[in-house]
Amino acid sequence: MHLQTLLQLPSMQKMRVIAGERGLNREINNIGMIESPDIASYLTAHQFLITNGYPFINTTTNPLTLIKAMHQANCAGLGFKDRRYVDHLPSDVLALADDLNFPIIVTPADELISETMRKMLTVILNSQTAELSHIVAVNQTLADLLIKDPADTTVLNKCTELIGHPLFLMDSHFRVVSASKDLPMTRSALTDFLRNQTQIDYFNLHTPTTVAYNRDQLTIMPLFSAYKENKAFVGMLNLDADNSTDQMLAQVVLNSLSFVNSRVDMLNESAFRNQSGFYLNVMDGGISNELVNKTLKARGIEPTTKFHCATILVTTHQQTLLSNRLLEQVQQLTLWFIKEHQAKVIAFSLKQQLVLLINDDQDAQHFLAALVNFIQPRLDKQARLIAGYSYSTLPLTELATIYNEAAEALALSKNSPHAITIYRPKYVKELISLIPSNEAKSFVERVLGGLVGGVSENEQLNLLNTLYGYFYYHQNIAEVAGHLAIHRNTVIYRLKKVEKMLTLNLDDPEQTQTLEMAVLLWHNRQIQK
């Protein structure tokens, strides 16, 4: 309880404040007596000391030194028995108490110090008993409420009603997601202030912190979370740091909201597993394209949207199988990073890899580089994060194709000094460049010579570019058409024409292999030109 509250009781009316009146809001929870000259060594916070003044008469205790020490220990105040050994305190002592807002109180002359202490302790103990009963009742009320699985706002309103302080709940990105009805500011304004106008490192915030916002003091406390990378926060307005009841009630609220947050963590993890299962089925061809498109629309994703596919993996020098904790850490850090920057990226897990589907309108290389730079310093020194991503961008109905590209790129990253590798058939081009130019020219003319006669140079170029796209995109007609900006029927028509002019069958693996090599050699010559 506050010292001022105690002094206002009828049984304490004979006490009078002679200095430090502005400090009457100090909390008091125990009483002591000055019995030894080294009392300063035994001071405790919120303690009120009483003396008859004798230690100051025989100079064993310096009042100035004692008051400074009591103020430093956050004691409640100092009491002098009226008209005993000290008729009045020196003016410099009173002035110091006023400067420090440290209360000095004169206790009744006609009352034994032991009786004064008994009366004060009785009041304090009764107050503490009432406070503890209230805290227990608040805890039980919140526990009963949480069993009913209410919405966040309902919990916050009830907490505010019970502890008397407006509350707001924030996610791990310092965005205010819900608030009690009496919060005197908008959620958007508060989010902007906390994220953009304070220097709080919310990713690494693990202990309570207090900031001023207009005329209010905001106390921000991290909630317990199953994953420290995905913790949430509760904010309280004008919490009294010196009021033990306020602090205990705040802890009750913190525990209750942490329980709610842990439940949210479990739901999010379940949703992530379901999402992973869906995309694994898509990749394995276990779901029809119609059902895939329907599910994507239900999730707010346009089925025609194209994606890069990226796979990320943690490697160590010592372990073949990584610990679940390390894998969960990478997963949670990745999900946090995606949400923090509101990136157009979908994530799911595949064995010990994390698979990312990066929207085509986003720079995949830039995103992955930023992600690796964010995660790598937070991992153990023995761990190395690597990533590989597809060159192609395809709709999610073609997930298997872009995943295979990403997986091949990831395999190259394991032996590369670079953390990120894009899938490119570089090794084919490098081998082609080793073929002597005269032999390459002869081979191209022998295999592709049939395309020269009877067509214009422009049509010949169209046919060759179509062939190159056909092989590059793994015989995916739709992707070739998109790359060349022509109708898929045009692609089919050109391929049929090539078969007729070269008298071959594109379904014949041996003929197709020869033709593909000739087209690659032709394309390589075009690049050199």
Side-chain angles (χ1 to χ4, degrees), residues 282-322:
V282 172
M283 195 156 51
D284 292 339
I287 304 178
S288 67
N289 287 353
E290 290 76 15
L291 182 56
V292 171
N293 291 339
K294 183 178 179 180
T295 305
L296 291 176
K297 286 182 178 179
R299 297 184 178 188
I301 302 172
E302 175 56 44
T304 58
T305 304
K306 295 181 179 180
F307 294 86
H308 282 284
C309 181
T311 56
I312 61 176
L313 178 71
V314 185
T315 63
T316 66
H317 298 299
Q318 300 173 340
Q319 302 179 46
T320 303
L321 294 177
L322 302 177

Side-chain angles (χ1 to χ4, degrees), residues 136-150 256:
V136 170
V138 168
N139 187 64
Q140 186 61 53
T141 300
L142 290 178
D144 293 341
L145 179 64
L146 293 177
I147 292 175
K148 301 175 183 177
D149 193 17
S256 300

Side-chain angles (χ1 to χ4, degrees), residues 164-180:
H165 295 284
L167 303 172
F168 54 93
L169 192 64
M170 295 175 290
D171 62 14
S172 57
H173 310 277
F174 251 35
R175 299 186 180 105
V176 180
V177 293
S178 58
S180 57

Side-chain angles (χ1 to χ4, degrees), residues 183-479:
L183 189 72
M185 67 281 291
T186 64
R187 289 189 294 172
S188 59
L190 195 52
T191 296
D192 176 69
F193 169 74
L194 291 170
R195 280 179 58 87
N196 304 319
Q197 300 178 47
T198 68
Q199 301 299 316
I200 299 175
D201 179 9
Y202 45 87
F203 183 83
N204 293 308
L205 182 61
H206 305 297
T207 56
T209 186
T210 300
V211 293
Y213 180 65
N214 296 333
R215 298 179 180 178
D216 296 301
Q217 291 291 320
L218 308 179
T219 299
I220 312 296
M221 295 182 286
L223 298 177
F224 170 79
S225 173
Y227 306 104
K228 67 178 182 179
E229 296 84 8
N230 193 32
K231 59 183 172 293
F233 306 89
V234 61
M236 300 186 183
L237 266 65
N238 304 319
L239 187 67
D240 189 348
D242 295 323
N243 187 315
S244 60
T245 302
D246 252 16
Q247 294 300 313
M248 286 188 285
L249 287 173
Q251 188 61 52
V252 170
V253 169
L254 190 67
N255 294 340
S256 300
L257 292 176
S258 291
F259 174 79
V260 175
N261 190 54
S262 296
R263 187 166 55 197
V264 171
D265 276 346
M266 289 187 289
L267 292 174
N268 288 340
E269 181 64 21
S270 177
F272 181 79
R273 292 181 184 276
N274 290 337
Q275 177 166 282
S276 297
F278 169 73
Y279 286 110
L280 290 177
N281 279 328
V282 172
M283 195 156 51
D284 292 339
I287 304 178
S288 67
N289 287 353
E290 290 76 15
L291 182 56
V292 171
N293 291 339
K294 183 178 179 180
T295 305
L296 291 176
K297 286 182 178 179
R299 297 184 178 188
I301 302 172
E302 175 56 44
T304 58
T305 304
K306 295 181 179 180
F307 294 86
H308 282 284
C309 181
T311 56
I312 61 176
L313 178 71
V314 185
T315 63
T316 66
H317 298 299
Q318 300 173 340
Q319 302 179 46
T320 303
L321 294 177
L322 302 177
S323 68
N324 288 333
R325 180 67 194 97
L326 182 57
L327 297 173
E328 286 175 355
Q329 182 184 11
V330 172
Q331 175 183 313
Q332 294 303 322
L333 286 170
T334 301
L335 295 176
W336 188 92
F337 186 84
I338 291 171
K339 291 179 182 177
E340 172 69 8
H341 299 284
Q342 298 181 328
K344 295 180 179 180
V345 177
I346 301 168
F348 67 92
S349 63
L350 173 60
K351 298 179 181 178
Q352 290 197 319
Q353 297 177 9
L354 197 62
V355 183
L356 306 179
L357 303 174
I358 306 171
N359 196 295
D360 186 29
D361 61 8
Q362 194 160 283
D363 188 330
Q365 173 73 24
H366 175 77
F367 172 81
L368 290 172
L371 178 65
V372 171
N373 289 337
F374 170 72
I375 295 179
Q376 184 62 64
R378 292 169 169 82
L379 301 180
D380 294 337
K381 292 183 178 180
Q382 300 296 325
R384 176 176 179 246
L385 191 71
I386 57 174
Y389 70 103
S390 66
Y391 180 83
S392 305
T393 57
L394 296 172
L396 293 181
T397 51
E398 303 292 334
L399 178 56
T401 299
I402 52 176
Y403 171 77
N404 288 335
E405 287 190 7
E408 288 189 33
L410 182 68
L412 294 176
S413 289
K414 293 180 180 179
N415 299 316
S416 170
H418 305 292
I420 303 169
T421 303
I422 183 173
Y423 172 80
R424 289 181 186 274
K426 290 182 177 179
Y427 50 90
V428 176
K429 293 182 180 179
E430 289 170 355
L431 288 173
I432 287 175
S433 66
L434 298 177
I435 300 175
S437 58
N438 60 331
E439 293 185 19
K441 181 179 179 182
S442 174
F443 181 82
V444 170
E445 289 176 349
R446 178 170 60 83
V447 177
L448 301 178
L451 296 180
V452 177
V455 296
S456 66
E457 184 176 345
N458 184 60
E459 185 174 359
Q460 179 187 354
L461 185 61
N462 287 338
L463 293 174
L464 288 169
N465 282 331
T466 302
L467 268 178
Y468 179 78
Y470 177 72
F471 292 122
Y472 186 85
Y473 290 108
H474 307 287
Q475 303 178 9
N476 187 311
I477 301 298
E479 189 66 14

